Amino acid sequence: MSEITKSPTIIGDALPNIPWEDRPAGSNDPVWRCSQNPIIDWNPIPSGARAYNSAVVPFGDGFVGVFRIDDKSGRAGLHFGKSQDALNWELEDELIDWVDEKGNPNPNSYAYDPRVVKIEDTYYITWCDDLKGASIGLGYTKDFKTFVKSENPLMPFNRNGVLFPRKIGGEYVLLSRPSDSAHTPFGDIFLSHSPDMVYWGKHRHVMSAGGSGWWQGVKIGAGPIPIETKEGWLMLYHGVSTTCSGFVYSIGAAILDLENPTKVLYRTRGYILTPEKPYETTGFVPNVAFPCATLYDAPSGKIAIYYGAADTYCAVAFTQVDELIEYIKNDSEV
Ligand code: BMA
């Protein structure tokens, strides 16, 4: 595993084997798509129709991930995957086999939109779980072999649970987006605190949908694990607008205060990526770009963004931290 490095901007590890492509000549976009997109196509495993909205992390000398795969009945579940290059993935056909704290089977009825974060020596996984309705699921693993499902941290209805990668002010912090039971037509980002990953409280508002950027007028939800930088927490999120043909999911970016992440320092008025390519505009649900993970290399500031496309594909986009932060500051409307 890479050594801890104090980068010029990102506070975190080096990841020399991060997947990467330079910005295409002539592009001024804040992020640019991987030329291999989509990196995971229809029917990626015998039991599964579509893998998307999935989370990856460095592990050992390669990468692992927790993938949302909808089976051929349409039900969403979580599957383990591994890769040497973070672009070509070997996905397990079987669902992740969750157990409770005593090792007894503890299966999900459904599960989707996972995020994965390493905090100290443990990998925590959050997802959208079923607690008599959409709620945030929480579990952990140390080896990606035994997966322990914990208590649900928050009441339903809630989705887009995203943990910060370290304690802040001595407590764990969880972003979430309170919602309703269906295709929620509203939604702001909140956060909650916990001393122990079991009891959650001190709920605070972070930011609302809306503003003058119409792309995020209906609802917003946290995306990948926030990245710690010297400028603040770099938080990518999804923003939703509505059209005659339904919702459109785009990606935006904000910077939150390091010690008080309820304080939004900067936030893009425009999106940084919106569905444009055929694999984003056409699929099971058209016009969806839904980010759930990043990989980053602190010394170079390279960031690879993993996003679900059209509720059908896994896709990757690239950015560089200093260029992105400059873009966010120049386009900011808080
Ligand atoms: C949201 C979630 C996401 C999905 C999006 C677009 O409510 O269910 O998993 O990508 O809708 O369908």
Side-chain angles (χ1 to χ4, degrees):
M1 186 54 86
S2 50
E3 61 185 17
I4 297 287
T5 314
K6 293 288 178 205
S7 84
T9 305
I10 293 179
I11 301 166
D13 289 353
L15 187 64
N17 56 340
I18 187 172
W20 182 252
E21 290 173 9
D22 286 334
R23 176 193 294 277
S27 163
N28 291 318
D29 296 334
V31 307
W32 53 97
R33 292 166 175 82
C34 178
S35 63
Q36 294 184 45
N37 278 353
I39 60 163
I40 302 179
D41 209 337
W42 280 94
N43 301 313
I45 52 174
S47 68
R50 292 168 283 113
Y52 57 104
N53 301 5
S54 297
V56 306
V57 286
F59 187 72
D61 61 0
F63 302 89
V64 295
V66 175
F67 289 80
R68 173 196 179 150
I69 304 183
D70 294 357
D71 70 18
K72 291 180 178 172
S73 78
R75 182 169 288 258
L78 302 181
H79 295 246
F80 173 72
K82 61 184 178 183
S83 174
Q84 276 308 305
D85 63 3
L87 294 175
N88 295 285
W89 288 90
E90 199 181 311
L91 305 176
E92 285 192 356
D93 195 50
E94 299 297 318
L95 288 167
I96 286 177
D97 205 4
W98 293 98
V99 296
D100 66 16
E101 301 282 351
K102 293 182 179 151
N104 299 314
N106 196 11
N108 302 311
S109 67
Y110 63 74
Y112 58 84
D113 300 354
R115 276 72 162 187
V116 182
V117 60
K118 187 178 185 196
I119 305 179
E120 290 151 21
D121 65 344
T122 303
Y123 295 86
Y124 291 92
I125 302 159
T126 52
W127 67 91
C128 180
D129 195 38
D130 179 20
L131 182 63
K132 300 288 181 197
S135 66
I136 292 168
L138 173 65
Y140 64 88
T141 182
K142 288 183 191 279
D143 54 9
F144 289 94
K145 292 190 174 114
T146 301
F147 291 86
V148 180
K149 185 178 168 188
S150 312
E151 297 285 340
N152 296 94
L154 301 173
M155 301 271 279
F157 298 99
N158 207 325
R159 296 181 176 89
N160 297 300
V162 178
L163 285 162
F164 281 81
R166 66 166 171 83
K167 288 182 175 175
I168 302 173
E171 294 179 303
Y172 299 105
V173 181
L174 175 67
L175 294 159
S176 73
R177 206 283 306 286
S179 59
D180 67 12
S181 58
H183 301 295
T184 311
F186 62 88
D188 298 343
I189 298 176
F190 288 75
L191 62 72
S192 307
H193 298 85
S194 174
D196 55 7
M197 279 276 186
V198 177
Y199 295 97
W200 294 87
K202 289 193 272 179
H203 312 296
R204 301 281 185 271
H205 175 262
V206 179
M207 59 193 220
S208 296
S212 66
W214 286 13
W215 67 275
Q216 53 184 339
V218 173
K219 56 181 172 176
I220 55 174
I225 304 305
I227 299 173
E228 186 169 8
T229 79
K230 291 186 175 165
E231 301 276 350
W233 295 104
L234 173 59
M235 184 181 76
L236 304 183
Y237 65 100
H238 66 258
V240 180
S241 63
T242 193
T243 71
C244 293
S245 310
F247 287 152
V248 176
Y249 281 70
S250 306
I251 306 177
I255 299 175
L256 312 179
D257 185 82
L258 273 187
E259 296 315 316
N260 175 14
T262 65
K263 194 169 160 194
V264 181
L265 303 178
Y266 305 98
R267 174 181 177 184
T268 50
R269 176 173 181 274
Y271 52 75
I272 60 168
L273 186 146
T274 198
E276 293 172 7
K277 298 290 179 191
Y279 54 86
E280 297 161 344
T281 58
T282 309
F284 190 71
V285 180
N287 299 315
V288 181
F290 194 100
C292 286
T294 59
L295 297 171
Y296 61 78
D297 173 52
S300 65
K302 292 174 179 172
I303 299 174
I305 303 166
Y306 286 74
Y307 64 102
D311 286 12
T312 304
Y313 308 102
C314 286
V316 176
F318 302 108
T319 188
Q320 199 280 339
V321 71
D322 301 293
E323 293 176 26
L324 181 60
I325 288 175
E326 191 186 344
Y327 182 92
I328 296 169
K329 287 181 174 176
N330 289 337
D331 190 43
S332 183
E333 178 186 82
V334 176

